[in-house]
């Protein structure tokens, strides 16, 4: 069997040596366009976990690499004169040139043929004479581009500019420097990779890049300029260049990785941003996965390649998602520049969602304790503490909106129950809202309560347009107030184009087969092609809708609700005006964002006048439509600012559900970045929702300044006492009715034991930061 590997970087070399080690009879040749000792860049970074993988995969190459590593355990963040240091990270650096030379030596030792200074211009010719061609030829892969139509690469060229340089300044931690100059903000990502040598990845935004004139400088001029920016941080050392050209990072994804007997590997198929240090890691783990695929399928090339693509894709996509979130944080660093240094550092550490509040509490308990104090100090004298005097975690600190004080930041998200009869809430609703209020949440939202009979989504939707409905809601509100410390918010909405549809469990958003009522929207556009076509709302209709919202709000006040939310998301009537995908009007209510905002703002102004001044109001918006041509991030900030100017106290940040063919990018906490942007650019309090499942995530979000309140839906459906359990875990005291206090006492006692046991287990499992140094020095027999 003949294998040609195109590209002599870490991915190609590692794959070649693994295959030759296990099948010595294979004829394997690596083709590299550069000379053997050419390399560009400076150091590479691996985590302890990655080193463990290397050790298990090929002990001799691991030992050679480990002997050359510089180890560190800490991350150090320099921002506005403050320094924060976080331990327990377990990273190491190695010279890229050294890594390549070690892999070359191991490959030669095993019998791999290495051909240097030879450019492969025709991958198909190799494929015709070899059983397998591995295209490990990098970001600009010629083989991938030759078959672009098959591999379908997508390249997202990110806006920030970056360059790799080096220095002789030593570091004992992975270090971030953030500097503001008259031109703008510069960021340095720095780490030592061998004695006397460190990598400096220097990054800035497009406006700063141009203002500084870096687009007109050569390597030497750029280095001289940056030496001035980071003169204090360089401590007298100089910056070193090595083809240190300014670039924009290309995030590459391919729909396919395999074509016949050709397979893409490493950066040729997928890239991961340098801010999570995963480029070389991703490439070498690709090599391991492809090697393992041949073990799984023998030397059956088609079966092995199919197995590789299927088995490896999820891990690659997870890494890329983490890298995406991380790189966006650095691109948007100006958004966080007003943060105090501790919150800034916490946000940096938790940016990619790989590290959370609880995780940091194990690694850096002093930092998390300081974060708790920071959040508490910002709300004194309302701040709450534990029995030992320490502040409770951010989730359990109170929050004020006007004269409404919430006992904690946990919110029961609005969730339609589709269980009303002619709009009238039933005993089900009393049980549903009452049990979740008793469960400890600081704020409970109603489902979308419809302002008129023809404003309902489904025949099972609750309303607030009759005296009977008002009385039923008052019964629920009175129960919540009498038996819990929770506040309860009324969400008012109008279904618009999504009205007259089936119950969720019978076919969500599908039209009723019979008994449908006429519907209206911003424009006569059906939600699905076979949905009812709504009438375009005219001026008389607008006046009627405003009056219905106001009447419902007045009923809500009489019922005793603590807060009012106007629903302007998810494609319902008010949302249909906001989005250009659903608003095709030619009058003053269509066209520009200012015009599209006009009617929703009219409704909000009328509600704010009708709703008591001491009670807060919020607006739910879809911050993106998840479809080309829909609302942008900048639009959502402008929408939030417009409502804030009219007296809105909180933006409830959701996304999507505007059009049926949207393509959301789901994942953990996937809507939180939109809340983050609105909160920190529009400077208004936000509530985030969407795939948030744990108190740990909630603490992380609040502490990092990404939202002020966190709403959970499904977790509260599964466990009405979700907040009580979380409070017990963190030993934060919350209200419980006297009837349930014995249960509260027990869960608090049990949580102390469970938490202590878990911490002990995690500490035992924590990697020894010196393990790899020890393994590389105790001899080959022990290391194997």
């Amino acid at each position: 069997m003949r294998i040609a590997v195109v590209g002599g970087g870490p991915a190609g070399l590692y794959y070649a040596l693994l295959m030759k080690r296990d099948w010595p009879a294979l004829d394997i040749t690596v083709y590299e366009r550069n000379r053997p000792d050419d390399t560009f860049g400076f150091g590479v970074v691996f985590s302890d976990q990655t080193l463990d993988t290397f050790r298990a995969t090929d002990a001799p190459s691991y030992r050679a690499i480990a002997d050359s590593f510089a180890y560190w355990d800490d991350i150090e963040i320099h921002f506005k004169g403050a320094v924060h240091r976080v331990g327990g990270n377990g990273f190491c650096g190695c010279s890229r040139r050294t890594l390549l030379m070690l892999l070359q030596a191991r490959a030669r030792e095993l019998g791999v043929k290495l051909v240097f200074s030879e450019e492969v211009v025709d991958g198909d010719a190799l494929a015709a004479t070899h059983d397998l061609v591995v295209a490990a030829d990098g970001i600009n892969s010629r083989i991938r581009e030759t078959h672009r139509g098959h591999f379908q690469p997508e390249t997202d060229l990110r806006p920030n500019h970056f360059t790799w340089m080096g220095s002789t300044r030593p570091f004992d931690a992975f270090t971030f420097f953030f500097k503001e100059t008259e031109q703008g903000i510069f960021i340095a990502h720095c780490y030592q990779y061998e004695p006397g040598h460190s990598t400096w990845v220097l990054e800035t935004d497009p406006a700063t890049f141009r203002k500084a004139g870096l687009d007109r400088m050569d390597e030497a001029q750029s280095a001289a300029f940056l030496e001035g920016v980071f003169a204090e941080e360089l401590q007298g050392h100089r910056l070193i260049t090595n083809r240190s050209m300014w670039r924009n990072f290309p995030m590459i994804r391919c729909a396919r990785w395999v074509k016949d007997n050709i397979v893409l590997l490493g950066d040729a198929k997928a890239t991961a941003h340098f801010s999570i240090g995963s480029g070389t890691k991703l490439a070498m783990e690709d090599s391991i996965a492809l090697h393992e695929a041949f073990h799984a399928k023998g030397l059956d090339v088609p079966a092995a390649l199919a197995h590789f693509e299927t088995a490896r894709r999820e891990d690659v996509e997870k890494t890329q998602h983490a890298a995406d979130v991380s790189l966006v944080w650095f691109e948007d660093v100006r958004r966080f520049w007003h943060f105090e240094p501790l919150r800034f550092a916490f946000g940096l550490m938790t940016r990619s969602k790989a590290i959370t509040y609880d995780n940091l509490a194990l690694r850096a308990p002093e930092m998390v304790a300081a974060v708790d104090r920071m959040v508490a100090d910002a709300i004194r004298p309302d701040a709450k503490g534990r029995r030992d005097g320490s502040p409770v975690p951010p989730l359990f600190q109170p929050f004020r909106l006007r004269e409404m004080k919430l006992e904690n930041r946990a919110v029961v998200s609005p969730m339609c129950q589709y269980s009303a009869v002619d709009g009238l809430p039933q005993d089900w609703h009393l049980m549903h809202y009452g049990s979740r209020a008793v469960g400890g949440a600081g704020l409970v939202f109603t489902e979308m309560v419809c302002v008129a009979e023809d404003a309902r989504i489904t025949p099972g939707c609750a309303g607030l347009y009759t005296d009977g409905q008002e009385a039923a809601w008052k019964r629920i509100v009175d129960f919540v107030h009498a038996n819990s410390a929770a506040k309860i918010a009324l969400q008012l909405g109008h279904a618009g184009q999504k009205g007259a549809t089936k119950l969720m469990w019978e076919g969500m958003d599908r039209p009723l087969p019979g008994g449908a009522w006429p519907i209206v929207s911003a424009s006569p556009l059906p939600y699905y092609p076979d949905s009812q076509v709504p009438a375009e709302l005219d001026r008389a209709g607008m006046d009627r809708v405003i009056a219905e919202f106001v009447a419902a709000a007045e009923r809500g006040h009489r019922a005793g609700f603590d807060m009012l939310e106007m629903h302007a998301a998810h494609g319902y009537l008010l949302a249909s005006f906001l989005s250009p995908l659903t608003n095709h009007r030619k009058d003053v209510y269509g066209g520009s964002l200012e015009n599209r905002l006009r009617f929703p703002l009219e409704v909000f102004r009328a509600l704010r006048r009708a709703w008591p001044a001491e009670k807060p109001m919020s607006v739910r918006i879809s911050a993106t439509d998840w479809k080309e041509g829909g609302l942008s991030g900048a639009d959502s900030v402008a929408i939030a600012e417009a409502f804030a100017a009219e007296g809105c106290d909180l933006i409830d940040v959701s996304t999507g559900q505007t059009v049926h063919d949207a393509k959301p990018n789901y994942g953990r906490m996937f809507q939180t970045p939109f809340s983050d942007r609105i909160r920190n650019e529009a400077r208004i309090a936000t509530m985030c929702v969407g795939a948030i499942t744990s108190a740990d995530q909630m603490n992380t979000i609040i502490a990092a300044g990404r939202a002020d309140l966190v709403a959970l839906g499904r977790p509260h459906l599964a466990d009405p006492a979700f907040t009580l359990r979380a409070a017990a875990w963190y030993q934060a005291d919350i209200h419980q009715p006297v009837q349930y206090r014995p249960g509260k006492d027990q869960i608090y006692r049990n949580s102390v034991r469970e938490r202590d046991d878990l911490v002990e287990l995690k500490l035992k499992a924590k990697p020894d930061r010196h393990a790899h140094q020890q393994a590389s020095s105790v001899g080959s027999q022990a290391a194997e």
Side-chain angles (χ1 to χ4, degrees):
M1 179 175 173
R2 298 186 70 205
I3 299 175
V5 178
V6 182
L13 288 169
Y14 202 48
Y15 174 71
L17 72 84
L18 293 177
M19 292 295 288
K20 189 67 173 176
R21 182 199 65 191
D22 292 354
W23 288 280
L26 295 179
D27 181 353
I28 304 177
T29 304
V30 176
Y31 296 90
E32 169 55 44
R33 66 171 67 95
N34 295 310
R35 294 171 299 183
D37 56 351
D38 282 346
T39 189
F40 308 106
F42 298 89
V44 296
V45 178
F46 297 119
S47 67
D48 277 341
Q49 183 180 12
T50 302
L51 284 182
D52 287 339
T53 301
F54 293 167
R55 178 162 51 186
T57 302
D58 185 58
S61 60
Y62 160 78
R63 287 195 301 274
I65 293 168
D67 284 338
S68 303
F69 279 145
Y71 291 84
W72 66 86
D73 198 50
D74 295 349
I75 291 176
E76 195 168 88
I77 301 157
H78 294 245
F79 176 67
K80 291 186 175 179
V83 180
H84 289 93
R85 195 173 177 105
V86 182
N89 297 284
F91 285 107
C92 56
C94 176
S95 161
R96 178 175 171 81
R97 182 179 184 279
T98 299
L99 176 63
L100 289 175
M101 300 302 287
L102 293 172
L103 293 176
Q104 289 173 18
R106 175 68 171 147
R108 287 193 190 94
E109 172 192 323
L110 292 166
V112 175
K113 287 179 277 188
L114 305 179
V115 178
F116 293 97
S117 302
E118 183 167 325
E119 181 89 29
V120 173
V121 296
D122 190 350
D124 289 347
L126 278 181
T129 57
H130 290 74
D131 300 284
L132 173 66
V133 173
V134 178
D137 50 345
I139 285 175
N140 299 311
S141 170
R142 185 189 294 268
I143 293 174
R144 182 194 67 221
E145 291 305 303
T146 298
H147 297 288
R148 185 177 184 84
H150 176 83
F151 292 117
Q152 296 180 34
E154 293 182 0
T155 302
D156 178 11
L157 202 62
R158 303 305 305 177
N160 271 14
H161 297 268
F162 75 97
T163 182
W164 288 74
M165 293 188 183
S167 174
T168 54
R169 186 204 148 161
F171 289 96
D172 63 353
F174 193 111
T175 302
F176 293 101
F177 295 117
F178 296 87
K179 292 295 292 287
E180 186 169 26
T181 69
E182 62 182 17
Q183 293 87 9
I185 295 171
F186 290 89
I187 307 168
H189 312 238
C190 307
Y191 57 90
Q192 183 165 313
Y193 59 87
E194 63 183 28
H197 294 281
S198 55
T199 292
W200 289 60
V201 185
L202 301 146
E203 179 180 9
T204 192
D205 61 85
T208 302
F209 184 74
R210 290 190 298 271
K211 191 174 180 180
L214 288 163
D215 54 336
R216 301 182 297 277
M217 295 182 191
D218 60 22
E219 271 186 281
Q221 291 169 327
S222 287
F225 174 82
L226 291 167
E227 283 175 352
V229 171
F230 292 103
E232 180 182 355
E233 291 76 15
L234 280 163
Q235 298 179 350
H237 296 264
R238 304 293 301 276
L239 286 174
I240 303 166
T241 60
N242 181 0
R243 291 189 62 177
S244 302
M245 303 301 183
W246 287 97
R247 293 174 284 162
N248 300 89
F249 186 82
M251 182 59 81
I252 296 173
R253 292 174 170 83
C254 291
R256 299 186 182 94
W257 298 348
V258 174
K259 182 183 186 299
D260 302 325
N261 64 333
I262 300 173
V263 60
L264 303 180
L265 208 65
D267 285 349
K269 66 155 187 45
T271 59
H273 192 253
F274 56 81
S275 63
I276 64 170
S278 288
T280 306
K281 159 193 158 66
L282 196 67
M284 293 181 70
E285 289 179 350
D286 279 353
S287 304
I288 294 169
L290 183 58
H291 165 253
E292 289 175 346
F294 276 94
H295 270 290
K297 300 298 179 181
L299 294 180
D300 183 335
V301 171
L305 296 188
H307 179 81
F308 166 69
E309 182 158 13
T310 301
R312 177 69 177 143
R313 186 172 286 274
E314 182 178 353
D315 284 343
V316 170
E317 290 178 350
K318 284 180 179 178
T319 300
Q320 286 194 295
H321 177 70
D324 281 349
V325 176
S326 177
L327 71 88
V328 168
W329 190 93
F330 286 97
E331 290 171 355
D332 294 334
V333 73
R334 170 64 69 183
R335 181 188 302 163
F336 316 114
W337 209 256
H338 67 284
F339 281 8
E340 56 193 298
L342 177 59
R343 172 160 275 166
F344 184 91
F346 183 88
L348 171 61
M349 291 299 302
T350 60
R351 68 193 182 279
S352 71
K353 300 184 284 190
I355 295 174
T356 62
Y357 176 93
D358 282 357
N359 186 275
L360 269 180
L362 286 174
R363 301 170 181 234
E366 300 85 0
M367 183 182 198
V368 171
V371 166
D372 289 347
R373 288 194 299 273
M374 173 191 71
V375 175
D377 288 345
I379 60 170
R380 296 196 186 281
D382 289 339
K384 294 165 67 174
R386 299 186 180 95
R387 292 176 183 175
D388 64 3
S390 64
V392 297
L395 172 60
F396 297 101
Q397 290 292 359
F399 187 70
R400 286 186 179 270
L401 291 168
R402 299 201 179 211
E403 294 185 17
M404 182 184 76
K405 177 185 173 184
L406 302 178
E407 291 302 308
N408 59 63
R409 315 292 184 96
V411 180
V412 177
S413 191
M415 293 177 285
C416 285
Q417 297 298 292
Y418 305 109
S419 300
V421 177
D422 295 327
L424 187 70
Q426 304 294 298
D427 286 348
W428 174 267
H429 296 82
L430 176 65
M431 179 281 303
H432 172 68
Y433 295 112
S435 62
R436 278 140 192 89
V438 169
L443 180 63
V444 177
F445 269 84
T446 69
E447 58 205 274
M448 188 177 95
V449 176
C450 303
V451 298
E453 185 176 15
D454 64 355
R456 292 176 298 163
I457 310 167
T458 76
C461 286
L464 189 48
Y465 46 85
T466 70
D467 291 346
Q469 292 163 0
E470 181 181 327
W473 280 116
K474 187 175 188 306
R475 179 185 179 217
I476 293 167
V477 172
D478 287 348
F479 181 90
V480 168
H481 287 160
N483 296 284
S484 77
K487 305 300 183 185
I488 183 165
L490 168 64
Q491 186 190 73
L492 290 179
H494 189 300
Q497 66 168 345
K498 297 172 82 172
T501 56
K502 296 179 180 180
L503 302 180
M504 178 182 68
W505 44 84
E506 294 175 353
M508 189 171 182
D509 296 328
R510 302 305 309 185
L512 286 170
W517 51 88
I519 59 175
V520 295
S521 189
S523 298
L525 302 171
Y527 186 69
Y528 284 104
D530 61 341
S531 294
Q532 182 185 162
V533 178
E536 182 170 291
L537 192 64
D538 59 16
R539 184 64 255 177
M542 291 180 189
D543 292 339
R544 176 176 63 85
V545 168
I546 292 173
E548 289 168 346
F549 268 93
V550 169
E554 290 171 343
R555 289 184 181 278
H557 174 52
R558 289 196 296 269
F561 282 101
D562 303 292
M563 178 176 169
L564 178 65
E565 176 162 287
M566 187 183 85
H567 200 324
H570 300 169
Y572 298 126
L573 179 62
L574 300 182
S576 72
F577 277 84
L578 292 175
S579 173
L581 299 178
T582 49
N583 185 340
H584 294 182
R585 299 174 72 103
K586 303 301 182 184
D587 61 6
V588 295
Y589 294 96
S592 68
L593 178 59
E594 181 183 8
N595 283 355
R596 301 197 309 271
L597 265 163
R598 194 182 301 269
F599 179 59
L601 284 174
E602 288 178 7
V603 177
F604 184 85
R605 288 190 197 103
L607 288 173
R608 186 66 272 182
R609 287 193 296 269
W611 191 247
E614 70 275 10
K615 290 186 177 183
M617 281 187 63
S618 60
V619 177
R620 170 168 271 201
I621 67 169
S622 288
T624 178
D625 295 321
W626 296 113
K627 186 175 179 180
E628 189 72 26
L631 290 170
S632 68
D635 290 338
S636 67
V637 172
I639 290 168
E641 289 173 335
F643 283 115
E646 298 294 339
C648 179
D649 304 291
L650 176 83
I651 299 296
D652 176 358
V653 185
S654 188
T655 64
Q657 303 178 55
T658 308
V659 291
H660 76 276
D661 56 348
K663 295 182 178 179
N665 186 16
Y666 291 116
R668 288 179 299 128
M669 303 176 276
F670 74 107
Q671 295 178 150
T672 301
F674 300 97
S675 167
D676 187 340
R677 179 169 186 175
I678 290 169
R679 181 185 188 273
N680 293 305
E681 290 186 14
R683 302 295 180 90
I684 183 172
T686 61
M687 180 172 80
C688 64
V689 299
I692 303 166
T693 59
S694 71
D696 177 27
Q697 293 172 354
M698 299 166 85
N699 276 317
T700 305
I701 289 166
I702 297 164
R706 298 178 181 125
D708 300 279
L709 300 176
V710 183
L712 276 67
R714 290 175 177 85
H716 276 124
L717 291 180
D719 183 3
F722 174 92
T723 307
L724 172 64
R725 294 181 188 279
W729 181 257
Y730 291 104
Q731 295 297 290
D733 190 35
I734 62 172
H735 176 272
Q736 276 282 284
V738 292
Q739 299 93 324
Y740 282 4
R741 282 182 186 168
K744 174 185 174 182
D745 292 342
Q746 183 182 63
I747 195 173
Y748 272 66
R749 287 194 304 270
N750 291 345
S751 292
V752 170
R753 290 194 294 268
E754 291 169 6
R755 187 175 177 86
D756 288 346
D757 290 346
L758 184 61
V759 169
E760 184 178 353
L761 283 172
K762 287 187 174 181
L763 289 174
K764 286 180 179 178
K766 187 178 178 182
D768 181 353
R769 63 179 177 176
H770 301 297
H772 297 288
Q773 291 168 304
Q774 293 167 351
S776 66
S777 63
V778 296
S780 60
Q781 184 176 358
E784 290 188 36

